[in-house]
Amino acid sequence: MFTIRGMRGFLASSIGVTCAAALALPLLPPALAAHARPAPTAEAATKARPAPHAPVAPAAGPAAEPRVPGNTRSLPLQPLARDRAHGAAEQGLRPRSVPRFSLVGVVWNDPDAELRGRVQVRVRAANTHTWSGWQDIEPHNIEHAADPGTPEHTSARVRGATAPLWVGDSDGVEVRVRAAADPGRHAEPKPDSSSGSDAGSGSGTASDGGGRTEQPHPSRPTPPAAPPLPTGMRLELVDPGGDTAPPGTSTDVPRTGGSLSSESTEAIAASAVNADLAPLGATEIRELNRAETESELFVLRAGELTEQQLAKPYIGPRPRIVTRRGWGANETLREKKFAYTKKVKAAFVHHTASGGTYGCSQAPSLIRGIYRYHVRSMGWRDIGYNFVVDKCGKIYEGRAGGVAKPVLGAHTRGFNSHSMGIAVLGSYDARKPSSAAVKAVARLSAWKLGLYGVNPRGKTYLKSGGGNLYRKGRKARLNVISGHRDGFATSCPGGQLYRKLGAARSTAARYQGR
């Protein structure tokens, strides 16, 4: 354990190194120095960035993106002519063959419009004649978004969307979207149109003006009308592309950097912001023991630690984290600049609502699909979550900007400032999360919250940026580790995962030595 005097002496002897963004990064302690490399200068990162991609327009046919690994195809939905209940609206696509894809979702024009109804899809497994049964896609997704009024939320590129659904390698699709009747919208019974003596005679009959009388019948309210579906609905078919890690490497074992000489400026920058934790170009950030983590804390948060933190850091050991390069992020898709909040006071836990049929070896592909869906289809600046956890307990870097930094996400509408979003891949309304995934959430929270001196078992106050539970400007008292539903009226992170958050808080506190 460092004493305050010894720590200050250590900091005074640290040497700065230059990163690609021209930021001064202090030299790591001896236990970590072998794993760090100076980032290239800005002059070395001269490859021009391609022009930003425009949002996918509702074209008459598929629109491919051959210039980048993977692609997104957008198919406008059409009215489905078939018998249906009074007032219901239904759109979709008849069965058709399409180029291969693995992830689907539905988007529409207005990001603030809710799709009230049911979205279902069935797919054909690639190179077979086998069709799946109908699968539900979570229709409400406005709660996963940037805060209202922020540049990311008000961008003209942003679209409303369902959650993405992982369907595996497929080459055929059929989709149907049906509006649900609003139980609160019933037509009022028409008033009695009779007049004169008939109006108050109490005879129970009314004349139709032709001498005939109508017998009374019980009042039958008009069936509730379904609200209109959002305009501009399109089916998004996402091919996440192949693995882009260097040949012969695996995210299970690589611990060294790789050449970025042929990479884009964005790829160099995304790796450089982690240069104080891992070599430039690394596909993972290695785990540390407690002593190494505490030593690293004194470097990362130099000049910001309180006397109490200096005496007792209360930080969990740094977990192993697969970098964006490790899961194959195409850095030219996202917005070039990074966005930050001031600190991290809370962690919001999510599920991706993408189904649970993936294998752990497919997790990088699934993350690439969600990343592409968030950016290309929904118009966000980057993937919305700060971190992603798979069901085998592996942790992945999410939104670019540096895993140890307070990166501003788009995960909990109204509470993205001063928080981080951790998404567990899968759907956990009925399915229980794995113990490995819950442990990974606890371990990640113990480390990242510990960087900012936060107790995972504690409470904190966050100011709302605007949502459906807390009006803009209101201070909400929340658990430091909260579920998404604590900040916004939503089912996320699913009832089964939400029930595990108490255990995650206790485990994270133990990792911090509390």
Side-chain angles (χ1 to χ4, degrees):
M1 182 69 64
F2 277 51
T3 65
I4 296 177
R5 179 179 299 174
M7 184 280 304
R8 288 172 177 161
F10 168 76
L11 291 178
S13 64
S14 297
I15 301 173
V17 294
T18 303
C19 76
L23 298 174
L25 296 176
L27 188 65
L28 296 179
L32 307 175
H35 300 280
R37 298 290 186 275
T41 62
E43 288 76 15
T46 56
K47 185 175 179 181
R49 181 175 188 259
H53 294 280
V56 180
E65 300 163 357
R67 294 171 295 171
V68 296
N71 60 72
T72 302
R73 291 176 172 81
S74 184
L75 304 175
L77 300 192
Q78 305 295 332
L80 296 179
R82 72 177 203 180
D83 292 337
R84 53 186 183 266
H86 175 78
E90 190 169 15
Q91 295 184 31
L93 293 174
R94 299 298 184 189
R96 64 181 63 195
S97 295
V98 292
R100 290 166 77 149
F101 66 97
S102 296
L103 183 139
V104 299
V106 173
V107 302
W108 51 89
N109 294 341
D110 183 357
D112 293 320
E114 290 191 59
L115 194 165
R116 298 185 181 275
R118 191 174 190 182
V119 183
Q120 292 182 300
V121 66
R122 69 186 191 108
V123 299
R124 185 181 63 206
N127 300 323
T128 74
H129 299 287
T130 304
W131 285 81
S132 71
W134 286 102
Q135 303 177 69
D136 285 297
I137 300 178
E138 172 58 52
H140 305 302
N141 208 31
I142 65 168
E143 63 268 25
H144 299 84
D147 291 352
T150 60
E152 185 171 7
H153 182 268
T154 57
S155 167
R157 298 182 62 247
V158 178
R159 299 290 182 263
T162 68
L165 179 68
W166 177 260
V167 293
D169 193 13
S170 306
D171 61 9
V173 68
E174 180 180 10
V175 65
R176 60 192 184 195
V177 181
R178 188 168 187 173
D182 186 343
R185 296 176 59 192
H186 290 270
E188 294 294 330
K190 292 182 179 180
D192 189 353
S193 60
S194 58
S195 60
S197 61
D198 289 332
S201 66
S203 65
T205 64
S207 172
D208 65 359
R212 297 184 301 273
T213 57
E214 236 177 281
Q215 295 300 317
H217 59 269
S219 176
R220 293 191 301 268
T222 304
L229 291 170
T231 59
M233 289 199 303
R234 311 188 294 278
L235 177 68
E236 301 288 288
L237 302 175
V238 180
D239 170 13
D243 293 326
T244 57
T249 64
S250 164
T251 54
D252 287 331
V253 295
R255 301 184 185 280
T256 59
S259 173
L260 290 175
S261 58
S262 61
E263 298 280 352
S264 66
T265 302
E266 292 80 8
I268 296 172
S271 186
V273 287
N274 288 318
D276 46 356
L277 308 179
L280 191 67
T283 55
E284 73 165 34
I285 296 169
R286 75 179 186 95
E287 61 184 325
L288 301 180
N289 61 34
R290 181 177 296 279
E292 291 173 325
T293 303
E294 290 177 356
S295 297
E296 179 185 68
L297 172 65
F298 295 135
V299 173
L300 293 176
R301 310 293 295 170
E304 302 175 32
L305 300 180
T306 65
E307 292 291 319
Q308 183 178 1
Q309 284 179 276
L310 293 173
K312 185 67 175 177
Y314 287 123
I315 183 171
R318 188 182 77 191
R320 175 187 171 212
I321 302 171
V322 177
T323 66
R324 289 171 63 91
R325 190 168 193 240
W327 55 260
N330 180 345
E331 300 295 353
T332 63
L333 293 180
R334 63 172 174 81
E335 196 168 299
K336 185 174 183 179
K337 294 182 179 179
F338 306 126
Y340 297 98
T341 183
K342 292 182 179 179
K343 51 191 170 183
V344 178
K345 298 171 59 178
F348 285 99
V349 179
H350 306 255
H351 69 169
T352 57
S354 52
T357 59
Y358 73 95
C360 290
S361 63
Q362 295 176 302
S365 292
L366 177 49
I367 297 170
R368 289 197 302 275
I370 294 173
Y371 169 46
R372 178 174 281 275
Y373 185 71
H374 282 182
V375 177
R376 286 289 191 177
S377 302
M378 298 179 66
W380 292 359
R381 62 181 299 137
D382 195 350
I383 190 171
Y385 310 113
N386 297 103
F387 296 93
V388 180
V389 173
D390 70 23
K391 58 188 176 183
C392 289
K394 190 175 291 186
I395 301 169
Y396 302 82
E397 178 184 14
R399 181 163 285 207
V403 297
K405 301 180 187 297
V407 177
L408 180 66
H411 48 83
T412 306
R413 181 171 175 155
F415 291 106
N416 291 301
S417 292
H418 302 161
S419 72
M420 67 174 177
I422 304 171
V424 181
L425 292 176
S427 300
Y428 297 101
D429 293 306
R431 180 183 288 106
K432 292 182 178 180
S434 68
S435 58
V438 176
K439 182 179 179 181
V441 169
R443 191 170 186 193
L444 173 60
S445 299
W447 171 70
K448 185 64 181 278
L449 293 171
L451 288 173
Y452 296 87
V454 180
N455 182 350
R457 270 197 304 226
K459 301 278 188 177
T460 191
Y461 284 93
L462 295 177
K463 182 184 289 188
S464 173
N468 60 6
L469 285 181
Y470 299 93
R471 67 179 182 273
K472 186 173 182 179
R474 180 180 172 184
K475 287 188 176 180
R477 187 171 185 262
L478 300 166
N479 287 311
V480 164
I481 297 180
S482 285
H484 186 181
R485 63 177 63 181
D486 295 320
F488 200 99
T490 173
S491 63
C492 183
Q496 296 294 336
L497 178 54
Y498 189 75
R499 292 186 184 98
K500 297 293 184 181
L501 296 189
R505 295 181 194 110
S506 298
T507 302
R510 287 199 300 272
Y511 279 131
Q512 285 191 349
R514 295 182 186 271

